[in-house]
């Protein structure tokens, strides 16, 4: 083969490798997230990396900081960020993790607790109308994967459709409900700061 032939062959092989690297083969799993306008993938390992907005179609700029707003007639402060949306809007994982607990409570209604892969954080989703089909404890989820639907369960109040999103810092050995509440707003709004 001539020198020109080797060069052409090398270019064809490189182009083929580049094409293969950009292409995904196989069928989609039922557990992968449909396109809902958010990037699906692993977030940065940094503690100050922004979280994905956990309600499909909601822009970061629309999120309002409701941390420590009065609740229960002023008897307690709000420990999370409320994200209003239409009933039934998909709720998606703000970060990857493992579904640690699916739970119904008086205040939170239908809830999901997802622990981060490093086990240092719990992502709390409350007032859900229901869970995504097949969601179960022990399941690993990816950022952007549907986990439920916006509702008004618990103490949200009939017709007050929203997701209550909470963030808890966990210590080794703590269970799903024992973490220290942290304001999730800066990470939801894209104004990252250390958690």
């Amino acid at each position: 083969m001539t020198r020109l032939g080797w060069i052409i062959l090398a270019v064809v092989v490189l182009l083929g490798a580049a094409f293969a690297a950009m292409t995904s083969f196989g069928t989609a799993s039922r557990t992968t997230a449909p396109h809902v306008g958010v990037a699906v993938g692993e977030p940065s390992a940094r503690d100050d990396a922004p979280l994905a907005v956990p309600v499909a179609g909601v822009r970061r700029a629309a999120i309002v900081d409701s941390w420590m707003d009065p609740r229960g007639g002023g008897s307690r402060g709000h420990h999370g960020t409320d994200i209003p949306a239409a009933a039934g809007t998909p709720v998606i994982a703000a970060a990857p993790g493992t579904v640690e607990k699916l739970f119904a409570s008086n205040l939170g209604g239908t809830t999901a607790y997802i622990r981060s892969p490093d086990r240092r954080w719990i992502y709390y989703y409350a007032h859900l109308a229901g869970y995504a089909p097949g969601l179960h404890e022990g399941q690993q989820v990816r950022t952007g994967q549907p986990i439920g639907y916006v509702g008004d369960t618990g103490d949200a109040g009939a017709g007050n459709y929203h997701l209550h999103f909470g963030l808890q810092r966990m210590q080794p050995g703590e269970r799903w409900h024992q973490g220290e509440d942290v304001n999730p707003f800066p990470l939801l709004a894209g104004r990252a700061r250390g958690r």
Side-chain angles (χ1 to χ4, degrees):
M1 186 179 286
T2 67
R3 183 174 179 195
L4 180 59
W6 284 109
I7 292 172
I8 292 171
L9 180 61
V11 169
V12 169
V13 169
L14 288 175
L15 288 174
F19 176 77
M22 295 185 310
T23 306
S24 175
F25 297 98
T27 58
S29 163
R30 291 198 65 148
T31 60
T32 57
H35 177 69
V36 290
V38 296
V40 176
E42 301 296 317
S44 167
R46 297 182 354 242
D47 276 350
D48 64 348
L51 297 169
V53 175
V55 180
V58 173
R59 296 179 345 269
R60 288 187 190 282
I63 300 173
V64 175
D65 190 356
S66 56
W67 181 257
M68 295 309 289
D69 284 356
R71 294 294 192 268
S75 64
R76 59 188 165 81
H78 187 238
H79 289 205
T81 297
D82 286 344
I83 304 173
T89 301
V91 171
I92 58 178
T98 302
V99 178
E100 188 145 320
K101 188 71 174 174
L102 300 177
F103 185 70
S105 72
N106 291 334
L107 295 178
T110 302
T111 64
Y113 294 77
I114 297 178
R115 192 180 291 251
S116 64
D118 64 8
R119 303 193 51 78
R120 297 185 319 147
W121 301 99
I122 285 282
Y123 308 107
Y124 173 64
Y125 305 81
H127 307 308
L128 301 173
Y131 300 116
L135 190 75
H136 61 276
E137 291 177 7
Q139 177 181 348
Q140 292 185 358
V141 296
R142 297 181 344 199
T143 304
Q145 181 174 335
I147 60 168
Y149 306 95
V150 170
D152 62 355
T153 60
D155 72 347
N160 183 19
Y161 299 109
H162 69 282
L163 171 70
H164 169 97
F165 181 79
L167 178 64
Q168 297 165 344
R169 180 181 293 116
M170 306 301 289
Q171 298 299 321
E174 285 185 323
R175 297 185 64 213
W176 53 275
H177 58 88
Q178 296 175 316
E180 170 193 359
D181 291 320
V182 174
N183 185 358
F185 174 76
L187 297 164
L188 293 172
R191 300 179 193 142
R193 70 168 200 208
R195 285 186 268 181

